[in-house]
Amino acid sequence: MCSWVVAALESWRSDPFPNQMQQQKKRDRGKVSFKVTLTSDPKLPYKVFSVPEEAPFTAVLKFAAEEFKVPPQTSAIITNDGVGINPQQSAGNVFLKHGTELRLIPRDRVGTIA
Amino acid sequence: MAKRLRILSNLKVKPETGVAWIVGFSSSSSSSSSSSSSSVPPPSPTAAASADLLPPLITVVAFVNCLHFSGTSSSSLQPDYEEEAEDLRILLPRGLEIVGAVVSSSGDTAATKNDATRAGDFAFGLRQELGLAANSGSDGINVIAALAVESLSTNESVMCYSQYDGSRLQLLEEEIVQEGSWRDTCLLRCQLELSMPLYLPSIVTLAEYEEQVIGSVDSIISNLKSSRAVFLFERQGETVLINASDKPNAKAAAADVQQIPSESTLSSLQGSILQPAENQVQIRRTLNSVLSVSHSSFRVPMKLILMIRPSCSKTSSPFMQYLPAKSLVELHLLRMSLDVLCLAPSHLSAADATTLLVVPALCDQLIVMCKMANKNATHNPKVCAFHFCPLSCPITTIYDLSYGESEIALVEHRKALHHRLGLPLDRPMLRVANALTLASLESSSNHSAGGKRLLDVHIGLSASTVAGGCQSLIAGSYEYYHYLQDRFDDNGWGCAYRSLQTIISWFRLQHYTSITVPTHREIQECLVEIGDKEASFIGSQEWIGAIELSFVLDKLLGVTSKILSVRSGAEMPSKGRELALHFRTQGTPVMIGGGVLAYTLLGVDFNELTGEIMFLILDPHYTGGEDLKSIRNGGWCGWKGTITTNGQQFFLANKFYNLLLPQRPITV
């Protein structure tokens, strides 16, 4: 088995719920983390971002869009249950209301072809 | 002599708190037995004599849960008569009384007599607190003591009624009627808009505030009760002036009383003029217009307008009055909208009705509004009374709207009312948007410059062609918004806006909100306000999508939405189960955005076994007029499968689609 798998297993055995502990620690330091999955890609790639609590959530949106190489103006972030998130809140607010698991989706713009 | 009991057939009660009050009215049987074919003269001596032979009739119209209890142990629970009386005085229209009480009982024979006696005692206690006179009739005071026994087989309670006069219980037979219990009564409605000036220093103590408010309210009450109050009865353009005075037979108003026309038969609307006996004028039932609200139909109430004559009878030159103030004061206006509904038996004279029913009701509302204004002591209070009819009888509530409807205190107030009336706690039924507009019989639709919009264009469509499919459709009503409505040219860019307008109209018609449906510009302003778009967006013709709709719904209505993101149009049928579940549980319209076009989805027909699916689509790209036939024939509202009639795919495989699923707010 590759070394990182072994290391992951070790850390899992010692601390079965690392996310909660880490996030607790991160919050205490004033940062919140989000795991954002790109749902438009069938492979469902994801990235974890850590931002200060007071940062506007638009920063997370921009970060995620850049990392996934999609334009931020035509992307939006929703929760795992599909609830839309207004990016005009602080990252801390979003963390409290919706948790850490989020999805990045492309925005539709509709009209008619004239 | 045992009374007769009449109960509406659809009345159910489940006393959640253990005790509920029986609301009804007693009528002398002369009015109930009279037919409506001829004009009924004032009760003649012979008619009155025959009336004594029939036992009096009590009609039960509603059950109201008791919320306030004194005493802590559950076995010796006593209702808190004072609090209950205070609440019920405002809640029920005058004319409806507490005729008894219901206690939930276990049903064993040993406990039933005890429980029934308890119920009777509770009813007596509350009637005493409310100051209700003894029941007229030769048999003295008695109330209905009822037991609600929960049967384990069905989840309903079995009711058992008896008559209680303080010592003896007598079983009563109930007569269940479908409707028509309002036949012999007349609804009166009086509205009063008061704008009281308060002169308050900038830093005001509660005592000063209260003193001013109570002083103004007292003066209004004394005006109402004095002989200077005159009521104008208005009905179908006819008006009658009645003096409200203490003595029903007062001759003072001889000069003011005019003759009131009465209808002589059901079919004729204008009848002959009835000669008033002295100053007694009879109130006639308005037979032509009927207001149907939920299960019951009421007559349209007669409007009363209050006028107060000035105190000095001699005419003199105008004069100004001034009051010295102790320090610098500001003028604040206390706005109170009184609105009383009274239920009067038809044989009552107009003067009696105003003295016995309308004036005390106005005074009660004034006192409660005064207390409410004192409690909040805001700088610009706005206290209004509203009528609702969630169940079988109209009720009145008073709301303090200074801070808007979503204020926590108001939400708690509404929740308590829902508990009291046994209403479900997850949907709004007592918001301002649900209030009865008794003035006209038109429903409050969104009349725009372009004329009325079509409602529910999908009803009556031919069925879809999915064999063995299960239809899941939108619940409730909506208005059809599409291109070029209101003479606004949004052809080519406004389809998502129109879809949003359709969705907001659904929330309006289901009474979740009372805001007007926003125009394109207002939608754009909202998006700029929350920071999603630049300021240059307003007035432009830019396209928006499902995400922007979710932002606007959240901002304007407080509604959260779920977004279903579908990677390719070919995957749309796979969302069939999820969409069917949405329509079954939420029932809200869905907006589909993608592939450059926006649609509103009103339902799906999904066969779980074969996976075959058809979508009920409402197309906002329609540019014609409000013609139901052309909308249906042109396919602007219809069932669409995945392959259209041209052989094209309805949902394009190379485009992604976002579906907006608005969630019903679980709110009261």
mmCIF file of all heavy atoms in Angstrom, chain B residues 426-440:
data_model
loop_
_atom_site.group_PDB
_atom_site.id
_atom_site.type_symbol
_atom_site.label_atom_id
_atom_site.label_comp_id
_atom_site.label_asym_id
_atom_site.label_seq_id
_atom_site.Cartn_x
_atom_site.Cartn_y
_atom_site.Cartn_z
ATOM 1 N N ASP B 426 -48.067 24.442 10.491
ATOM 2 C CA ASP B 426 -46.985 24.561 9.508
ATOM 3 C C ASP B 426 -47.349 25.436 8.325
ATOM 4 O O ASP B 426 -46.577 25.596 7.409
ATOM 5 C CB ASP B 426 -46.597 23.167 8.983
ATOM 6 C CG ASP B 426 -47.732 22.540 8.201
ATOM 7 O OD1 ASP B 426 -48.868 23.026 8.289
ATOM 8 O OD2 ASP B 426 -47.482 21.553 7.483
ATOM 9 N N ARG B 427 -48.544 26.019 8.333
ATOM 10 C CA ARG B 427 -48.858 26.885 7.209
ATOM 11 C C ARG B 427 -49.572 28.126 7.717
ATOM 12 O O ARG B 427 -50.273 28.072 8.716
ATOM 13 C CB ARG B 427 -49.693 26.162 6.168
ATOM 14 C CG ARG B 427 -50.928 25.509 6.686
ATOM 15 C CD ARG B 427 -51.423 24.490 5.690
ATOM 16 N NE ARG B 427 -50.412 23.496 5.433
ATOM 17 C CZ ARG B 427 -50.387 22.730 4.355
ATOM 18 N NH1 ARG B 427 -51.298 22.875 3.444
ATOM 19 N NH2 ARG B 427 -49.449 21.850 4.183
ATOM 20 N N PRO B 428 -49.370 29.231 7.029
ATOM 21 C CA PRO B 428 -49.972 30.469 7.516
ATOM 22 C C PRO B 428 -51.454 30.516 7.205
ATOM 23 O O PRO B 428 -51.867 30.306 6.081
ATOM 24 C CB PRO B 428 -49.225 31.552 6.736
ATOM 25 C CG PRO B 428 -48.745 30.896 5.512
ATOM 26 C CD PRO B 428 -48.556 29.448 5.824
ATOM 27 N N MET B 429 -52.261 30.751 8.240
ATOM 28 C CA MET B 429 -53.688 30.911 8.008
ATOM 29 C C MET B 429 -54.214 32.186 8.653
ATOM 30 O O MET B 429 -55.337 32.563 8.426
ATOM 31 C CB MET B 429 -54.448 29.708 8.594
ATOM 32 C CG MET B 429 -54.078 28.427 7.893
ATOM 33 S SD MET B 429 -54.813 26.989 8.630
ATOM 34 C CE MET B 429 -56.372 26.967 7.848
ATOM 35 N N LEU B 430 -53.418 32.811 9.485
ATOM 36 C CA LEU B 430 -53.894 33.988 10.192
ATOM 37 C C LEU B 430 -52.995 35.181 9.923
ATOM 38 O O LEU B 430 -52.831 36.041 10.774
ATOM 39 C CB LEU B 430 -53.952 33.714 11.696
ATOM 40 C CG LEU B 430 -54.948 32.650 12.090
ATOM 41 C CD1 LEU B 430 -54.861 32.374 13.569
ATOM 42 C CD2 LEU B 430 -56.349 33.090 11.748
ATOM 43 N N ARG B 431 -52.412 35.209 8.742
ATOM 44 C CA ARG B 431 -51.621 36.387 8.402
ATOM 45 C C ARG B 431 -52.534 37.439 7.807
ATOM 46 O O ARG B 431 -53.666 37.166 7.436
ATOM 47 C CB ARG B 431 -50.584 36.013 7.353
ATOM 48 C CG ARG B 431 -49.497 35.213 7.943
ATOM 49 C CD ARG B 431 -48.370 35.092 6.990
ATOM 50 N NE ARG B 431 -47.227 34.562 7.666
ATOM 51 C CZ ARG B 431 -46.011 35.055 7.544
ATOM 52 N NH1 ARG B 431 -45.804 36.082 6.786
ATOM 53 N NH2 ARG B 431 -45.026 34.513 8.192
ATOM 54 N N VAL B 432 -52.000 38.637 7.646
ATOM 55 C CA VAL B 432 -52.799 39.720 7.082
ATOM 56 C C VAL B 432 -53.300 39.336 5.696
ATOM 57 O O VAL B 432 -54.416 39.687 5.302
ATOM 58 C CB VAL B 432 -51.953 41.005 7.015
ATOM 59 C CG1 VAL B 432 -52.696 42.108 6.332
ATOM 60 C CG2 VAL B 432 -51.559 41.437 8.405
ATOM 61 N N ALA B 433 -52.494 38.588 4.958
ATOM 62 C CA ALA B 433 -52.911 38.191 3.612
ATOM 63 C C ALA B 433 -54.127 37.277 3.636
ATOM 64 O O ALA B 433 -54.865 37.195 2.669
ATOM 65 C CB ALA B 433 -51.754 37.494 2.900
ATOM 66 N N ASN B 434 -54.347 36.554 4.766
ATOM 67 C CA ASN B 434 -55.503 35.661 4.836
ATOM 68 C C ASN B 434 -56.754 36.368 5.304
ATOM 69 O O ASN B 434 -57.813 35.760 5.357
ATOM 70 C CB ASN B 434 -55.262 34.533 5.854
ATOM 71 C CG ASN B 434 -54.057 33.729 5.524
ATOM 72 O OD1 ASN B 434 -52.954 34.182 5.726
ATOM 73 N ND2 ASN B 434 -54.259 32.537 5.019
ATOM 74 N N ALA B 435 -56.626 37.640 5.676
ATOM 75 C CA ALA B 435 -57.776 38.300 6.302
ATOM 76 C C ALA B 435 -58.922 38.415 5.313
ATOM 77 O O ALA B 435 -58.719 38.545 4.115
ATOM 78 C CB ALA B 435 -57.364 39.685 6.792
ATOM 79 N N LEU B 436 -60.114 38.382 5.847
ATOM 80 C CA LEU B 436 -61.295 38.481 5.004
ATOM 81 C C LEU B 436 -61.457 39.906 4.526
ATOM 82 O O LEU B 436 -61.358 40.838 5.300
ATOM 83 C CB LEU B 436 -62.542 38.115 5.803
ATOM 84 C CG LEU B 436 -62.695 36.685 6.256
ATOM 85 C CD1 LEU B 436 -63.972 36.537 7.033
ATOM 86 C CD2 LEU B 436 -62.705 35.751 5.081
ATOM 87 N N THR B 437 -61.697 40.055 3.246
ATOM 88 C CA THR B 437 -62.061 41.382 2.757
ATOM 89 C C THR B 437 -63.556 41.324 2.513
ATOM 90 O O THR B 437 -64.014 40.893 1.460
ATOM 91 C CB THR B 437 -61.337 41.709 1.458
ATOM 92 O OG1 THR B 437 -61.448 40.580 0.590
ATOM 93 C CG2 THR B 437 -59.876 41.973 1.704
ATOM 94 N N LEU B 438 -64.291 41.757 3.533
ATOM 95 C CA LEU B 438 -65.733 41.601 3.437
ATOM 96 C C LEU B 438 -66.381 42.709 2.634
ATOM 97 O O LEU B 438 -67.550 42.666 2.366
ATOM 98 C CB LEU B 438 -66.337 41.582 4.844
ATOM 99 C CG LEU B 438 -65.915 40.391 5.679
ATOM 100 C CD1 LEU B 438 -66.265 40.606 7.116
ATOM 101 C CD2 LEU B 438 -66.598 39.151 5.157
ATOM 102 N N ALA B 439 -65.605 43.678 2.256
ATOM 103 C CA ALA B 439 -66.228 44.811 1.577
ATOM 104 C C ALA B 439 -66.780 44.396 0.228
ATOM 105 O O ALA B 439 -67.866 44.768 -0.158
ATOM 106 C CB ALA B 439 -65.218 45.936 1.411
ATOM 107 N N SER B 440 -66.001 43.617 -0.517
ATOM 108 C CA SER B 440 -66.512 43.205 -1.821
ATOM 109 C C SER B 440 -66.385 41.710 -1.933
ATOM 110 O O SER B 440 -65.682 41.078 -1.164
ATOM 111 C CB SER B 440 -65.717 43.881 -2.927
ATOM 112 O OG SER B 440 -64.386 43.442 -2.845
#
